[in-house]
Amino acid sequence: MKTILKITKNELSTLFYSPIAWLILIIFTFQSGMAYANAWDSILRSVALGYNPSSLTGRLLLGWEGAISSMQEHLFLYIPLLTMGLMSQEYNRGSIKLLYSSPVTNRQIIFGKYLSMVICAAILVAILFIYYVFTAFTIQNIDTPFALTALLGVFLMICAYAAIGLFMSSLTSYQVVAAVGTLAVLAVLNYIGHVGQEISFVRDITYWLSISGRADTFFKGLICSEDFLYFLLVIVLFVTLSILRLQAERTKLSALQSMLRYGGVIVVTLLIGYFSARPALRCYYDATEMKENTLTQNSIDIMEKLDGPLTITTYANMFDENYFRALPRYYNEDFNRFEKYIRFKPEIKMKYVYYYDKTNNPTLEQRYPGLTDEQRLKKICDALDWDVKRVLTPEQIRAKEDLSGEYNKYVRVIERGNGQKSYLRLYEDNYRHPTETEISAALKRMVIKSPVVAFLTGHGERSIDGIGERDYYAFSQYKDFRNSLVNQGFESISLSLDSVNKVPENIDILVISDVRTALSPKEQEIIENYIAEGRNLLIAGEPRRQEQMNPLLAPLGLSFMPGILVQESKDFSTDLILANPTMASLNVINRFDKLLAFGNQITMPSAVGIKQTDEKGFKVVPILTTDSTGSWNELETTNFIEDTARINPSIGEVEQANTTMMYLNREVNNREQRIIVLGDADCIGNGELSRQRNGISSANFSVITESFRLLSFGEFPVDTSRKGSSDNKININEEWGLWIKILFMGLLPGILTFLSLALWWKRRKK
């Protein structure tokens, strides 16, 4: 050990007596300091503008411009310069012969030189640690495990780069060649993850070999055994290869013997790496405060109930515009989307099936006009260099899985060993792929019964099949819409009371919206019995429907007020109501606090007020109300395009806040009954959900998701929200911005510059 330490000390002396090491330290400190100062500048500016900061540990140290994570892209330039002379200079000066003739083993030489690089890595990490210390004193509740995990990632990355540089330096006497060779190896390791994607085993090997993004998991606050072992194996591999290189030089081994030794070490490393990457053998530690890299507790509970085998099969129609997302080159990326789930159920299998069949894709005809489906498939497969036989025909896919209900689009089918199935789709938004909320909802459907939502029909109610502005297709069963009920675990059906004597028992939530013609006495009795049984209900009214709908509200002790609610506005029609959550609503729907915090409102075109008329044993909570000023219940005006609504106190019009959404609950028949009443049926219709108005930040879909979450007793949509992190307050003001720049962009690099010049002057005097 003493010999190793002597070699290390000598190497460090040589390194720091040269200007290269000091120059790297100074540039590294300046660049990281600039990133840190810029991150602070952004935060201080946003605070000065009145915004509330959050997740400050990540933003300052680990974000896009964080002091720690931003240095990742520069390390591959610094390390080759530090390592290029480790062995090259020994060859160049001829001192390698002295080492060979001395009683120093090959291992001692390599370990000593590599230890010097580990110390250099520790120095670089120590510079980054200064930013952590400063952050700890300037923000409240810094997420220390998160930051230290990121520092560990940087340290392992530098050590891995250094091991590669050491080996390359042992191959040549030219330092420049060693530096360029190190860069070349790093470039290969960054690119190799894209090689051999068509072959499963090769894909796993090359993906494991890739160094690209390996430290990202650490920067996210996650320590994964696969990534940790990867860096250790890379270090061990290249340090071992360096030792073998010296042995080959010292003992004059034949080329075959050397190749066998090198090959054996590489093969063993690859095998260890391959098996360590198997899902069942991975271990994880989530260092973040809110466990952001782990499933939420609700999702974990679902996974614990999913016993037996589970298969996720992706069906890609080659005629669908999204087929490319299932190509083999994206398999590993796809795997990462489900990795959080695979952590809790490693036996999950992922399969891919390719087929062709009719689907709605207008571009297909434009790209291949006048061709048959078989000819189009041939051209697509030729472009992909695929065998056409790899793609199932329409007949073959229908025999395997009927996807007509999914319109033959890109879809994933989740299947348990007992035959239960659930679907995961792509969505027409920027992200496209399902998030934890949708995945957990699909899995939960196989654990518990999906709530059945029945929409009453037969009296002009809103249709779940219609695509008009007033209909409910978008939020009920539009499969390409991420937040629709069908994608959040519900089952939506239409229900007519003509041929039944009661609402079927399998229905969990009944929706009655905008009844245009009065219900028959029999239908009225069926609804009253449904309410008396203690079952859940949502009623949405409209102006000029009070006569038809108030009999439905009578058993609840409520009624829709006569007239129409109006709100003074210089930009919009006065019958457009901008409703706000009440403080009482936060005790029922705690997610409405975000609406209040961000100033979101619920847009209700042509709404009717709701009032309590009788006590029926319900606890009644107003959820949404109009403004208390500039708003009233209009009893005269009906044409809001040509006429102007004016308040008329003489006929009972009063400027006040009126309730537009009410929540009722009670205990009946040993069960809790929940009922929601809306004063506007349009606010959840297709048109209003897609409409945008300048100057209005609407959150209408929150009404839908939170209403049905309430009515399903919190089962669906699956709650995957997390509490906010506690590192959201700073102890300094905007004036500190300049001092932070001076400290980290000027003083720290200046101190290192002074030390380097002092050392140079000391050597010069000698």
Side-chain angles (χ1 to χ4, degrees):
M1 190 62 188
K2 289 183 179 180
T3 304
I4 293 175
L5 292 177
K6 285 182 179 179
I7 294 174
T8 300
K9 181 179 179 181
N10 181 68
E11 193 60 42
L12 288 173
S13 299
T14 303
L15 189 63
F16 282 97
Y17 276 135
S18 71
I20 296 235
W22 286 105
L23 185 62
I24 289 173
L25 279 179
I26 293 168
I27 295 175
F28 180 86
T29 304
F30 178 79
Q31 285 186 318
S32 59
M34 181 169 61
Y36 187 64
N38 288 338
W40 262 117
D41 188 56
S42 175
I43 290 173
L44 292 173
R45 189 184 303 112
S46 65
V47 171
L49 291 172
Y51 295 100
N52 295 320
S54 61
S55 303
L56 290 172
T57 305
R59 290 185 62 182
L60 288 169
L61 301 176
L62 304 163
W64 288 104
E65 298 178 349
I68 298 177
S69 56
S70 64
M71 297 312 296
Q72 177 182 196
E73 60 189 61
H74 303 297
L75 289 175
F76 78 96
L77 294 175
Y78 300 145
I79 306 307
L81 296 177
L82 284 174
T83 60
M84 64 183 182
L86 286 174
M87 293 302 301
S88 298
Q89 63 183 358
E90 303 289 355
Y91 295 134
N92 191 42
R93 293 184 307 206
S95 54
I96 188 66
K97 295 180 179 179
L98 295 176
L99 286 173
Y100 285 164
S101 61
S102 64
V104 181
T105 65
N106 298 322
R107 291 185 178 84
Q108 289 173 331
I109 295 172
I110 296 301
F111 287 160
K113 288 182 176 291
Y114 183 69
L115 182 58
S116 68
M117 289 297 100
V118 172
I119 293 173
C120 287
I123 293 173
L124 294 176
V125 171
I127 293 172
L128 298 178
F129 186 78
I130 295 173
Y131 307 126
Y132 158 76
V133 174
F134 185 85
T135 304
F137 281 102
T138 51
I139 71 171
Q140 295 183 16
N141 303 318
I142 185 173
D143 193 347
T144 295
F146 186 9
L148 296 183
T149 297
L151 290 173
L152 173 63
V154 173
F155 179 74
L156 290 173
M157 179 184 289
I158 297 174
C159 290
Y161 285 5
I164 296 170
L166 173 61
F167 174 65
M168 298 308 298
S169 180
S170 69
L171 297 178
T172 178
S173 61
Y174 299 101
Q175 296 187 32
V176 174
V177 174
V180 172
T182 303
L183 286 172
V185 172
L186 292 177
V188 169
L189 290 178
N190 271 282
Y191 175 76
I192 199 170
H194 302 286
V195 175
Q197 295 300 295
E198 293 289 335
I199 305 172
S200 178
F201 179 76
V202 175
R203 179 173 61 246
D204 290 342
I205 291 293
T206 57
Y207 187 75
W208 180 86
L209 277 173
S210 176
I211 202 170
S212 176
R214 282 290 179 180
D216 288 349
T217 54
F218 293 89
F219 296 150
K220 294 176 183 176
L222 179 68
I223 299 178
C224 174
S225 61
E226 177 191 0
D227 297 314
F228 185 80
L229 285 173
Y230 173 83
F231 285 118
L232 293 184
L233 288 171
V234 167
I235 292 169
V236 171
L237 171 64
F238 284 97
V239 168
T240 303
L241 292 178
S242 300
I243 294 172
L244 293 178
R245 164 65 179 165
L246 292 190
Q247 289 179 345
E249 286 286 317
R250 219 164 179 178
T251 58
K252 300 299 180 184
L253 295 174
S254 66
L256 179 60
Q257 289 176 313
S258 297
M259 290 297 293
L260 288 175
R261 287 189 175 189
Y262 291 147
V265 171
I266 293 172
V267 169
V268 170
T269 302
L270 291 178
L271 288 175
I272 295 174
Y274 177 81
F275 287 107
S276 69
R278 297 303 88 198
L281 298 178
R282 294 181 186 177
C283 299
Y284 299 86
Y285 170 68
D286 191 345
T288 58
E289 178 188 2
M290 306 314 300
K291 304 303 176 185
E292 296 173 1
N293 301 296
T294 308
L295 292 176
T296 56
Q297 189 58 50
N298 284 337
S299 297
I300 294 174
D301 293 341
I302 294 169
M303 296 305 295
E304 290 176 349
K305 297 175 182 177
L306 282 170
D307 55 343
L310 190 69
T311 304
I312 302 175
T313 305
T314 300
Y315 290 92
N317 185 353
M318 303 303 288
F319 290 168
D320 179 35
E321 60 184 356
N322 291 298
Y323 80 90
F324 69 92
R325 300 179 188 275
L327 294 180
R329 71 175 72 109
Y330 297 117
Y331 280 5
N332 288 312
E333 182 180 327
D334 212 34
F335 175 87
N336 291 335
R337 292 190 181 94
F338 295 91
E339 185 176 12
K340 290 181 180 180
Y341 292 86
I342 295 173
R343 283 169 57 180
F344 293 92
K345 195 173 180 62
E347 64 270 25
I348 290 178
K349 295 181 180 179
M350 298 188 68
K351 297 180 179 179
Y352 297 84
V353 176
Y354 304 94
Y355 71 99
Y356 75 97
D357 204 345
K358 299 289 186 182
T359 189
N360 182 24
N361 185 4
T363 64
L364 193 67
E365 180 64 35
Q366 296 173 8
R367 286 156 44 207
Y368 307 111
L371 299 183
T372 65
D373 286 348
E374 290 73 17
Q375 291 170 330
R376 290 170 178 169
L377 177 67
K378 181 67 167 58
K379 284 189 171 293
I380 293 173
C381 289
D382 287 345
L384 296 173
D385 196 22
W386 275 20
D387 185 353
V388 174
K389 295 180 181 179
R390 184 175 181 176
V391 183
L392 300 182
T393 65
E395 294 75 19
Q396 289 173 325
I397 188 62
R398 290 166 194 166
K400 183 178 180 66
E401 185 77 33
D402 183 9
L403 299 174
S404 58
E406 298 297 321
Y407 314 112
N408 292 326
K409 290 187 175 183
Y410 181 108
V411 67
R412 292 184 177 93
V413 178
I414 306 175
E415 186 172 6
R416 295 181 69 181
N418 59 12
Q420 285 181 305
K421 292 182 179 180
S422 189
Y423 293 90
L424 271 176
R425 307 169 179 93
L426 296 182
Y427 311 109
E428 292 182 348
D429 53 32
N430 292 333
Y431 188 68
R432 305 291 287 176
H433 290 279
T435 62
E436 181 183 342
T437 302
E438 292 77 51
I439 297 173
S440 294
L443 293 171
K444 192 171 185 178
R445 294 183 68 150
M446 298 188 291
V447 174
I448 67 170
K449 173 185 173 293
S450 295
V452 178
V453 183
F455 292 77
L456 193 66
T457 63
H459 300 274
E461 297 91 344
R462 306 301 174 94
S463 170
I464 62 173
D465 299 311
I467 59 174
E469 288 194 358
R470 66 185 300 274
D471 293 316
Y472 287 171
Y473 176 70
F475 87 80
S476 63
Q477 56 180 352
Y478 184 29
K479 294 179 179 178
D480 292 342
F481 187 27
R482 179 183 303 276
N483 294 312
S484 66
L485 296 181
V486 70
N487 288 321
Q488 296 299 325
F490 296 89
E491 181 182 347
S492 301
I493 63 171
S494 297
L495 174 68
S496 174
L497 300 180
D498 287 343
S499 58
V500 298
N501 294 319
K502 65 173 296 184
V503 177
E505 292 294 336
N506 68 314
I507 291 175
D508 301 284
I509 303 168
L510 180 63
V511 178
I512 306 174
S513 181
D514 191 14
V515 175
R516 295 193 164 197
T517 59
L519 273 66
S520 68
K522 176 188 174 184
E523 292 171 327
Q524 179 70 30
E525 183 182 359
I526 292 174
I527 299 300
E528 290 178 0
N529 290 338
Y530 179 87
I531 295 173
E533 291 173 2
R535 299 166 71 180
N536 293 354
L537 177 69
L538 187 150
I539 299 177
E542 276 287 304
R544 298 179 296 278
R545 306 283 188 265
Q546 291 92 331
E547 183 179 351
Q548 294 88 347
M549 298 201 67
N550 275 339
L552 296 171
L553 296 185
L556 310 178
L558 302 178
S559 70
F560 289 127
M561 298 166 59
I564 182 172
L565 297 178
V566 296
Q567 181 173 320
E568 293 178 339
S569 174
K570 64 178 182 179
D571 300 313
F572 304 102
S573 175
T574 53
D575 64 342
L576 175 64
I577 297 299
L578 304 180
N580 299 292
T582 65
M583 296 305 296
S585 71
L586 302 184
N587 297 323
V588 178
I589 306 174
N590 55 20
R591 290 166 190 80
F592 271 11
D593 59 355
K594 293 183 179 179
L595 273 65
L596 292 172
F598 293 106
N600 299 132
Q601 295 175 303
I602 309 303
T603 55
M604 293 183 154
S606 66
V608 62
I610 310 167
K611 65 178 181 180
Q612 186 172 8
T613 59
D614 198 2
E615 172 59 48
K616 295 292 186 179
F618 289 96
K619 179 182 178 182
V620 181
V621 181
I623 301 296
L624 297 175
T625 66
T626 64
D627 287 338
S628 58
T629 59
S631 178
W632 65 91
N633 187 37
E634 177 64 36
L635 300 174
E636 294 179 311
T637 307
T638 57
N639 187 340
F640 295 94
I641 298 177
E642 298 179 359
D643 295 341
T644 301
R646 293 181 177 86
I647 189 168
N648 186 355
S650 64
I651 62 171
E653 295 178 355
V654 181
E655 186 179 25
Q656 64 180 11
N658 289 289
T659 302
T660 58
M661 180 177 178
M662 198 83 82
Y663 169 67
L664 301 85
N665 75 315
R666 66 176 178 177
E667 291 291 330
V668 57
N669 296 331
N670 297 320
R671 65 196 293 179
E672 182 185 2
Q673 182 179 30
R674 296 180 176 184
I675 298 175
I676 290 174
V677 180
L678 278 169
D680 178 35
D682 291 325
C683 71
I684 56 176
N686 297 338
E688 199 59 30
L689 291 177
S690 60
R691 185 172 289 115
Q692 294 182 346
R693 297 178 178 89
N694 291 332
I696 298 178
S697 178
S698 63
N700 284 37
F701 213 86
S702 296
V703 172
I704 298 171
T705 55
E706 299 313 316
S707 292
F708 284 96
R709 193 192 310 274
L710 201 60
L711 295 175
S712 67
F713 299 99
E715 294 292 348
F716 295 97
V718 178
D719 185 5
T720 58
S721 61
R722 303 173 190 270
K723 294 181 179 179
S725 58
S726 60
D727 54 342
N728 52 15
K729 292 184 179 179
I730 61 175
N731 302 323
I732 59 178
N733 55 35
E734 192 176 10
E735 297 176 356
W736 275 74
L738 177 61
W739 293 107
I740 291 174
K741 290 181 180 179
I742 293 174
L743 174 61
F744 294 108
M745 295 175 61
L747 185 58
L748 282 182
I751 291 173
L752 292 175
T753 302
F754 174 78
L755 291 175
S756 65
L757 292 175
L759 185 62
W760 171 79
W761 181 256
K762 180 180 178 181
R763 290 194 66 195
R764 187 173 182 274
K765 288 182 65 176
K766 289 183 178 180

